[in-house]
Amino acid sequence: MKLKTNRGAAKRFKITGSGKVKRSRAYASHLLSSKTTKQKRRLRKNVVVDKRDSRNVKRLIPYA
């Protein structure tokens, strides 16, 4: 039987060519006036999911 992709996870994570999982940073959506420019610039960048968590994420998006 085919596995179902978790649609919420599919919108939040991407798999890189080497098989790592990318995600965007939290705290970047609102209340930005109180955050420094340096902090907001850092929030724009994507980051790799920790190795311990990536196994669970990959299970949610089996065909990505």
Side-chain angles (χ1 to χ4, degrees), residues 5-31:
T5 298
N6 181 301
R7 298 313 295 161
K11 291 165 191 172
R12 285 172 172 84
F13 302 103
K14 295 279 176 278
I15 307 286
T16 63
S18 60
K20 293 177 182 171
V21 183
K22 280 195 316 186
R23 66 167 176 86
S24 56
R25 291 183 181 273
Y27 304 109
S29 56
H30 62 100
L31 298 176

